[in-house]
Amino acid sequence: MKNNFSPTPGRIITILLFLPFMCMAQSQDSIQTEWLHEMTVKGSLYTTRPDVFIYNVSADSSLAGKNGFETLHNFPLLHVERNGTVRSIGGQPIEYLVNGTHDLSLAGNIQDALETLDSKHLKRIEARIIRNVNGQEVLQINIVTKGRLLGYRGIANTALYDDKWRNGAYLFTKRNRLGISFSYYNTWLWGHDNKRNLEEWRYENKYLYHTERETKESGYKADLNNFEMNLSYEITPLKLFSIYARALLKTDPHTKSITNCKVEDYAAVQTYRYKHEQYYKADRDAEYTVDVNYEHMFGENAERGKFFAEYEFYYRPVKTHTDGNYSLLEYT
């Protein structure tokens, strides 16, 4: 069986005008009060207001010598896992801003982008609950720096897990008003094998009374190559134009399963048995994304509103095939 899936490329155009009261809006049940009561407040590190929760990074002496990503561990509304995954405590998706704008250099791996930035360059981290155009609650994290970020930054790393091996590098440079970032990561996936056993009794059918079925499945295996690039240009300190592009290429994605089945009658005499092998492989599976946006803040902190326009292109061509065969067929 072969499947060719070449969808029409998806295109989304978004134009938003945020008025001041819209920027301050949040639902009353979004940030649970107990989160803020249970945390330990040291001096003036944390500030709570009706519209925003603030972590004053520059006042935290415990961050000496640490990078930007490590500061997130001290943020009460985020759960940071060892593998670099960042989740909101309330389960909302996270949207990252830099100095109030959608800097697409953070559109990919937030861990790598912040690990290249020393915590001494951060002033504060702000969190707001907003609603997107679909009405969904989003936790908006705004990373405020001490002045503009200029110069060169980069990181190369490798991480070995029990089901994957990830290697790559992230580079960022900004001169004057132009910023460019690039990252490449190779991830070798070898999902864990698993086994499922099923027993079934059909009391109304004496010929197919008892069925035993065992299925062994190999985990999903693939070699992933992820390329990301971002270009941003500060037209003015309050106007930002940026382009983000991503290509995810998957080499040899495949899985395999083997099922052994035996059926017996009421007297425990075999009725039939078989072995079924199935192999899935993707001959082509890739993802392409391009995001272009323009943002204009009215006021340093958008206190007089914000204009945001975005064009998003997404395309994923897929071609797969599944082969299966039966063997050890026995009938009584």
Side-chain angles (χ1 to χ4, degrees):
M1 179 175 65
K2 294 186 177 181
N3 297 308
N4 289 286
F5 179 56
S6 298
T8 302
R11 297 179 176 87
I12 300 175
I13 298 177
T14 303
I15 299 177
L16 299 174
L17 176 62
F18 296 95
L19 299 178
F21 73 90
M22 293 177 65
C23 296
M24 307 283 281
Q26 74 177 82
S27 63
Q28 297 301 314
D29 59 349
S30 300
I31 302 179
Q32 301 180 19
T33 307
E34 53 266 29
W35 300 346
L36 306 181
H37 287 314
E38 291 176 359
M39 72 179 185
T40 302
V41 179
K42 301 179 181 179
S44 58
L45 291 186
Y46 304 98
T47 304
T48 305
R49 298 175 184 168
D51 63 304
V52 62
F53 177 79
I54 301 173
Y55 170 32
N56 298 298
V57 177
S58 59
D60 193 345
S61 60
S62 69
L63 295 176
K66 296 184 178 180
N67 60 51
F69 186 73
E70 290 174 301
T71 64
L72 299 184
H73 290 270
N74 294 353
F75 200 75
L77 304 186
L78 297 177
H79 177 70
V80 183
E81 300 178 2
R82 295 182 62 183
N83 63 2
T85 301
V86 180
R87 294 185 290 107
S88 65
I89 296 297
Q92 303 96 338
I94 302 175
E95 177 185 70
Y96 293 99
L97 306 181
V98 177
N99 297 323
T101 61
H102 293 76
D103 191 330
L104 294 180
S105 63
L106 299 181
N109 191 324
I110 182 67
Q111 179 182 9
D112 293 338
L114 289 182
E115 280 186 345
T116 63
L117 184 64
D118 197 296
S119 63
K120 66 182 180 182
H121 299 304
L122 302 183
K123 185 175 182 180
R124 64 180 182 272
I125 299 177
E126 303 171 343
R128 292 179 173 84
I129 297 292
I130 65 170
R131 290 191 179 274
N132 59 21
V133 291
N134 299 318
Q136 181 186 24
E137 284 192 346
V138 175
L139 179 63
Q140 189 179 77
I141 300 295
N142 181 31
I143 300 171
V144 182
T145 63
K146 299 175 181 178
R148 299 169 65 227
L149 298 176
L150 299 174
Y152 302 87
R153 303 195 303 275
I155 187 172
N157 56 39
T158 181
L160 180 63
Y161 305 90
D162 63 345
D163 61 347
K164 63 183 176 182
W165 187 16
R166 183 174 180 269
N167 304 277
Y170 170 86
L171 301 172
F172 174 85
T173 180
K174 187 169 185 179
R175 296 292 300 268
N176 298 323
R177 298 180 179 181
L178 180 65
I180 301 174
S181 67
F182 175 81
S183 68
Y184 165 73
Y185 280 92
N186 171 261
T187 305
W188 182 24
L189 300 176
W190 58 85
H192 297 300
D193 296 347
N194 65 81
K195 182 171 67 174
R196 293 181 290 112
N197 291 287
L198 172 69
E199 284 194 78
E200 180 182 359
W201 285 267
R202 301 180 183 180
Y203 298 104
E204 74 286 353
N205 192 327
K206 64 179 182 179
Y207 299 106
L208 306 176
Y209 181 76
H210 179 228
T211 300
E212 291 183 358
R213 184 180 295 112
E214 179 187 80
T215 300
K216 297 179 181 179
E217 298 176 331
S218 69
Y220 178 77
K221 296 177 174 60
D223 186 18
L224 310 182
N225 293 280
N226 186 72
F227 303 84
E228 296 184 33
M229 186 195 72
N230 173 69
L231 184 149
S232 62
Y233 181 73
E234 291 183 5
I235 303 172
T236 71
L238 300 180
K239 298 179 183 179
L240 179 69
F241 174 79
S242 57
I243 300 175
Y244 167 77
R246 174 179 183 250
L248 175 60
L249 309 178
K250 306 175 185 180
T251 303
D252 194 29
H254 66 275
T255 60
K256 183 180 180 180
S257 68
I258 300 175
T259 300
N260 288 286
C261 181
K262 182 176 69 173
V263 180
E264 298 175 337
D265 63 15
Y266 186 79
V269 177
Q270 178 178 297
T271 304
Y272 68 87
R273 63 175 296 195
Y274 68 83
K275 177 181 179 180
H276 179 228
E277 297 181 81
Q278 182 170 285
Y279 183 79
Y280 163 86
K281 187 178 187 303
D283 301 306
R284 183 185 183 190
D285 188 357
E287 298 180 44
Y288 303 97
T289 302
V290 176
D291 196 328
V292 181
N293 67 44
Y294 168 78
E295 191 165 3
H296 184 181
M297 294 194 301
F298 300 97
E300 183 177 354
N301 297 307
E303 60 271 11
R304 291 185 286 113
K306 178 191 295 187
F307 174 82
F308 178 77
E310 179 184 47
Y311 171 80
E312 181 179 353
F313 170 88
Y314 177 78
Y315 180 51
R316 183 183 180 184
V318 178
K319 181 180 179 182
T320 68
H321 71 267
T322 302
D323 299 319
N325 66 82
Y326 287 88
S327 60
L328 300 180
L329 294 172
E330 296 181 5
Y331 295 90
T332 301

